Amino acid sequence: RSGVSSMSTGARRLLWGLVGVLLLLCVSPTVYARAALAASPLRGSIASAPARSARAALRRTGRRRSAFHAAAGLRLEEVARAAGTRALRVPKHVGIIPDGNGRWALARGFPRAAGHAKGADAAFRAVMELFDRGVEVVTLFTLSTENLHRDPAEVSHIMRLVTQLLRMHADTLTRNGVAVQIVHSAGCAQHLPVELYSAIADLRAKALAEIPRPEPSNSPGSSDSEAPFATASHAPVSDETKTAYNLPASSDSESNLGEAKARKTLCLLLAYGSRIDLADAAREIARQAAAGLLDPESVDEKMLASHLATGAEARHRLSTADTGALGDVDLVIRSSGERRLSNFLLWQCAYAELHFAEALWPDFGAAEVDAALRQFDEADRRFGRVP
């Protein structure tokens, strides 16, 4: 009887020990995350380094103990939301590869043209959703150089859709301070219709006309810079979205149209291919070196980037109206479940986070936008450095 009692006590101790280990594995990451979040001095703003380290630690341990730490990771997000200590980190530059228009149409018995029309509407919605969440630059892979080999009727239809979309939403784009730019590969300008350039020119003229002209005031102490004006959003941004993405209140974000214009850029890649772009940049640098205009030893990453179609040097050489560089891409979004870049800004996407959505592009909406931004926020972006 004494032996049985002793064995029972040992078994109970072993059982409680196992329970303690399981609780430690499940709870400790959450406790660490809570402490890191509480230590952050910024409430409602970007997370501090300890909080990001906590999330990184959770992901690393989660790969080793997925059963326990996956649950802990869910609790971490709940703690972060409940504590309200930080807003989501938002990428500055988002690239979009809208894929699946044709498959969406064929699955419903529609012609491919109907899928492109539906995809054009989805593109405008997604772009404005991204701008509403604080993204400054959106680059849309509208038509690649490879796409130019499709049926000419389909290519012409896509060009017409882009032109119609810009004209249809000209007022919305202007009110929200969105500057639209076109980037194409060298030697491909002839594929773009004159009507498209005309639509872009009309947008720029409209934006200039929308800039308020201050009226003189006789009231004492007044100045031209105090004249108020406001912009209208394409749709109201909810308070919940503003809080999640740390967006300013309406009175702040709508108080300076000029500042808003400088922050929002929609770049349309039309007849563009990244390999052609890289070859053209190298060719131009080699030409300048051969002519004695530059020292070959001075060629570096910055110089090559400036000669790409999205760089300042190339845009100046091509005499485009937009001479500013667009910068590297922070987040790439591709729809339809395909997992490849398809010759999209290969140099500029060197350190971009990649988000592959299962939805076909015409079905891409606000929920998919938020899912992509959440993935970016959770990424541990070290750029090769040790955290």
Side-chain angles (χ1 to χ4, degrees):
R1 188 184 309 173
S2 174
V4 172
S5 175
S6 175
M7 290 177 61
S8 299
T9 301
R12 284 198 298 271
R13 288 177 179 174
L14 177 61
L15 178 62
W16 282 112
L18 290 174
V19 170
V21 170
L22 293 176
L23 288 175
L24 181 63
L25 289 173
C26 293
V27 175
S28 59
T30 305
V31 173
Y32 173 42
R34 187 188 297 272
L37 290 170
S40 175
L42 304 177
R43 295 187 62 86
S45 60
I46 297 176
S48 63
R52 290 196 296 271
S53 298
R55 293 199 311 277
L58 265 179
R59 283 192 295 275
R60 288 194 295 270
T61 55
R63 283 191 288 269
R64 293 194 298 268
R65 307 181 184 91
S66 58
F68 303 113
H69 287 270
L74 291 176
R75 284 196 294 275
L76 170 61
E77 296 303 321
E78 292 172 1
V79 169
R81 286 196 297 269
T85 56
R86 59 180 294 276
L88 296 179
R89 289 182 301 139
V90 177
K92 178 181 179 180
H93 187 173
V94 174
I96 301 178
I97 306 175
D99 195 15
N101 290 338
R103 278 169 283 168
W104 182 92
L106 295 177
R108 290 160 176 77
F110 299 148
R112 292 177 59 86
H116 291 311
K118 190 74 173 178
D121 292 336
F124 177 76
R125 291 195 305 271
V127 166
M128 297 309 295
E129 292 284 356
L130 287 167
F131 285 142
D132 279 346
R133 284 151 177 74
V135 174
E136 298 179 18
V137 180
V138 178
T139 297
L140 188 67
F141 204 7
T142 313
L143 192 73
S144 69
T145 49
E146 291 80 9
N147 294 150
L148 295 175
H149 299 294
R150 294 185 180 184
D151 184 347
E154 182 176 355
V155 174
S156 297
H157 177 64
I158 293 174
M159 294 290 189
R160 284 196 302 271
L161 282 175
V162 175
T163 304
Q164 293 169 5
L165 192 73
L166 294 178
R167 293 199 179 280
M168 182 186 307
H169 297 291
D171 289 340
T172 301
L173 293 169
T174 302
R175 286 197 304 267
N176 286 273
V178 179
V180 181
Q181 305 178 7
I182 294 178
V183 170
H184 60 79
S185 292
C188 293
Q190 71 275 13
H191 296 289
L192 308 184
V194 176
E195 293 79 10
L196 180 59
Y197 286 108
S198 176
I200 296 291
D202 291 346
L203 268 175
R204 292 197 176 104
K206 192 175 185 63
L208 290 175
E210 288 286 329
I211 297 177
R213 300 291 187 265
E215 298 181 0
S217 174
N218 296 325
S219 59
S222 64
S223 65
D224 292 343
S225 62
E226 296 174 353
F229 54 90
T231 61
S233 175
H234 69 104
V237 183
S238 67
D239 292 337
E240 182 180 355
T241 298
K242 289 182 178 179
T243 300
Y245 292 95
N246 196 29
L247 300 177
S250 299
S251 58
D252 296 330
S253 63
E254 297 177 357
S255 62
N256 193 322
L257 180 61
E259 183 181 355
K261 287 182 185 299
R263 289 201 310 264
K264 300 177 183 178
T265 301
L266 170 59
C267 175
L268 302 177
L269 297 186
L270 284 159
Y272 173 85
S274 187
R275 287 181 172 180
I276 295 177
D277 190 13
L278 286 164
D280 182 64
R283 187 183 306 111
E284 175 61 22
I285 291 175
R287 187 193 66 78
Q288 293 184 19
L293 300 177
L294 61 84
D295 180 3
E297 295 299 323
S298 67
V299 178
D300 55 12
E301 294 181 12
K302 184 177 180 180
M303 179 180 291
L304 181 57
S306 71
H307 281 80
L308 295 173
T310 56
E313 183 67 28
R315 292 154 77 79
H316 177 74
R317 186 176 76 251
L318 296 173
S319 299
T320 64
D322 313 295
T323 57
L326 294 176
D328 289 342
V329 179
D330 301 307
L331 170 66
V332 175
I333 300 173
R334 179 165 188 158
S335 58
S336 83
E338 302 290 353
R339 286 163 169 76
R340 55 181 177 269
L341 288 178
S342 297
N343 209 12
F344 171 75
L345 297 178
L346 300 178
W347 176 279
Q348 297 87 334
C349 291
Y351 272 100
E353 301 298 322
L354 307 178
H355 177 81
F356 301 109
E358 295 298 325
L360 297 176
W361 182 247
D363 295 327
F364 199 93
E368 286 74 22
V369 168
D370 285 332
L373 294 180
R374 281 197 300 272
Q375 177 183 318
F376 179 85
D377 172 69
E378 295 168 0
D380 187 14
R381 291 169 62 79
R382 299 183 300 275
F383 299 97
R385 302 181 182 91
V386 177

